[in-house]
Every structure is written in structure tokens, then in C-alpha cells.
Amino acid sequence: MRYGIFSDVHSNLEALEAVIEAYKSEAIDKYFCIGDSVGYGANPNECVAKIKAITAVAVAGNHDQASINLYPADNLNSFARQAVLWTADYINEETRYFLEGLKLTFKNEDLTLVHGTLDNPEEFNYLSDSDDAWRTFGILQTNLCFIGHTHLPGIFIRDMLDNVFYRQDPSFKLKQGNKYIINVGSVGQPRDGDPRAGFCIFDSGSQTIHLERAAYDIAQARRKIIEAGLPQYLGDRLLSGR
Ligand code: ZN
């Protein structure tokens, strides 16, 4: 099975379209989205329609929940809060219905999905270091957990001696006996200094992970953000990928 797994689209239609195009040559069997489909960008309805059309499962992010009043907007920084209020006002019934239906976690025979951490997923804490990873590894019932939320692609590994490592290799071969937490990065607002859209491919047959990037029309996504009356900073930061 070849999985296309992505996260944090954040209403960036140009980035999402580039990622969907890049996936086309990858013979993907199943798509998963790990949350924050909306927030920050100017096209929440268009992005949700595309995500709904291709994904087998999507889970909830904090921006998804905040946009429908399921998570307190006061917990977000000022730019994120402004974008959430804009989104709440802008979204149509179909988008709202999709966001309301999102669960916090998902698990199948191969993998688990959660936006932030498996401990208290409803709090949307960041999984940033080995201590955070340790707590999620302790709860994880599959060998693999795919996450988003920090917008920083990378892989936490727990080996058979219970050591935890962090790697940022774009291609990675999984070893039997280890457990992995894979952060797939962000489609619509990368923050690792590479402004291209981030996405992941997991091949369960060859047991390989690929953390990929796709170039997209950043200038247009930025222009739409500014024209929509969203904070200019949210458009500007797309240029630097920070
Ligand atoms: Zn996010």
C-alpha cells in the first residue's frame, strides 16, 4: 500500500494543488490528512472540497476546531486568532460539516494519525523534542505515528533499546522492531526555511518514508491573503517558509 500523507494545508489552495499534482506520478493508493486544513490562508472552502474528495481519512487540527468553536481561539497567537475569526465567518455549510466530523485520532493496521500528540490529543500540544516523543511512543499501538502541527518535517525513532533519536532525512528506510513518529511537515505554511509545500509518501510494502517538497505559486497565495483582508504577515511568511 502506498499512502499519501499530508498536513497543515491551512487554506493554501495553490500549495495543495501543487501537492496533489506531485502525488499523481506516485501511484498513491490512499490519502490521509492530519489536520489544520483551514486557517491562515484565503481558500478554506476550496481546500476542504479537494481534501474531502481525495482523502480516506482526515483528523482534526486546532485551527479546524477553532474555526467552528470547538477549541478556544484565545489559545492561539494574534495572527492565528485573526485568521480563525476570518475563517469562521467565511466558511460555507459543507466546510463546516466536514470540520465538525473530524476525529482527533485514527488508527489502522499500519499506522496512527494525530495532529499534535497522542497524550491529550485534544490539547494540541507540540511534539518538538524527545521527551514529547517519548510520551507519544508510550501510548502508540502501531509501529508508526504520523503527525503535523509544528510544520517541521522530521522523524523521531525509538529503537529496541528504548533510545529516542531525531532525523531529518528526506528518504528513510524503516527497521523492524523500531517505532517511528513521522512529522510530515506542512503543505500550506512550511516553517523549516524551505518555502515549498511539504508532503509525505509512505510505502508499507518497501517500508520506506519519503518527505517531499513541491514548488507552487507563492506570490499568488500571498496576494490572495492580503486581498482577503487577512494579516499581511501571513502572506509574507510564505515567501521565506518561516
Ligand atoms: Zn498548523
Side-chain angles (χ1 to χ4, degrees), residues 161-180:
L161 300 171
D162 283 345
N163 298 305
V164 174
F165 306 95
Y166 180 63
R167 301 282 290 271
Q168 288 176 294
D169 314 25
S171 285
F172 201 85
K173 174 105 178 126
L174 304 175
K175 282 205 195 92
Q176 220 173 13
N178 290 355
K179 288 195 166 201
Y180 298 90

Side-chain angles (χ1 to χ4, degrees), residues 8 10 36 63 115 149 151:
D8 296 86
H10 282 298
D36 277 2
H63 288 252
H115 189 65
H149 198 29
H151 300 201

